[in-house]
């Protein structure tokens, strides 16, 4: 079994894993910026970095789940998301859910599955 893992700075987990042509990842704002729009943008940059490390990119996203600590922040998150994701041919299946993210600082976490390039 050829599984590639990009370990997280948190004990016991990986930020990204690739197997059988698919990349699985979690994205968050490592800086813990102030506000949902800033945290969303930082999380999406983090996601792009991890996708690249696994031979993928945002155009290859298949499924995304966005976890928000407060669903009233969804319109601001959507604004940053729509600017980042680009034209509709790039749109993955996406869900957004409210969740307790464990602390007062973390406003967003994003999980995703993407196809890897065939090269």
């Amino acid at each position: 079994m050829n599984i590639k893992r990009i370990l997280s700075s948190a004990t016991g987990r990986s930020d990204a894993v690739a197997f059988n042509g698919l990349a699985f990842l979690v994205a968050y704002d490592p800086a813990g910026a102030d506000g949902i729009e800033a945290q969303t943008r930082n999380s999406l940059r983090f996601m792009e970095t991890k996708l690249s490390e696994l031979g993928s990119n945002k155009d290859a996203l298949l499924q995304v789940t966005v976890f928000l600590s407060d669903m009233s922040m969804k319109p601001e998150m959507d604004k940053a998301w729509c600017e980042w994701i680009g034209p509709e041919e790039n749109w993955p299946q996406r869900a957004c859910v409210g969740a307790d993210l464990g602390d007062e600082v973390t406003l967003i976490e994003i999980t995703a599955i993407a196809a890897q390039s065939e090269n």
Side-chain angles (χ1 to χ4, degrees):
M1 223 182 319
N2 187 14
I3 301 172
K4 180 177 181 179
R5 300 177 196 276
I6 299 173
L7 298 180
S8 172
S9 59
T11 302
R13 59 185 167 178
S14 295
D15 285 333
V17 176
F19 176 71
N20 203 24
L22 294 174
F24 304 83
L25 58 130
V26 61
Y28 50 89
D29 178 5
D34 189 30
I36 189 61
E37 194 168 341
Q39 281 201 21
T40 301
R41 291 183 193 289
N42 290 344
S43 297
L44 295 172
R45 275 193 291 277
F46 183 90
M47 180 184 294
E48 278 193 276
T49 298
K50 297 305 171 189
L51 285 166
S52 177
E53 289 176 34
L54 293 176
S56 189
N57 59 62
K58 69 181 180 179
D59 299 346
L61 285 168
L62 303 171
Q63 187 276 329
V64 174
T65 303
V66 178
F67 298 90
L68 293 175
S69 64
D70 180 346
M71 286 299 288
S72 71
M73 297 182 291
K74 187 176 182 293
E76 291 175 87
M77 179 280 298
D78 276 334
K79 179 179 182 250
W81 168 268
C82 288
E83 289 172 6
W84 177 79
I85 198 62
E88 64 186 39
E89 58 267 15
N90 295 344
W91 296 355
Q93 176 277 319
R94 193 194 90 178
C96 187
V97 296
D100 180 351
L101 298 177
D103 61 45
E104 302 283 320
V105 175
T106 306
L107 304 177
I108 185 170
E109 283 189 8
I110 304 168
T111 61
I113 301 171
Q116 291 179 285
S117 67
E118 295 182 30
N119 318 18

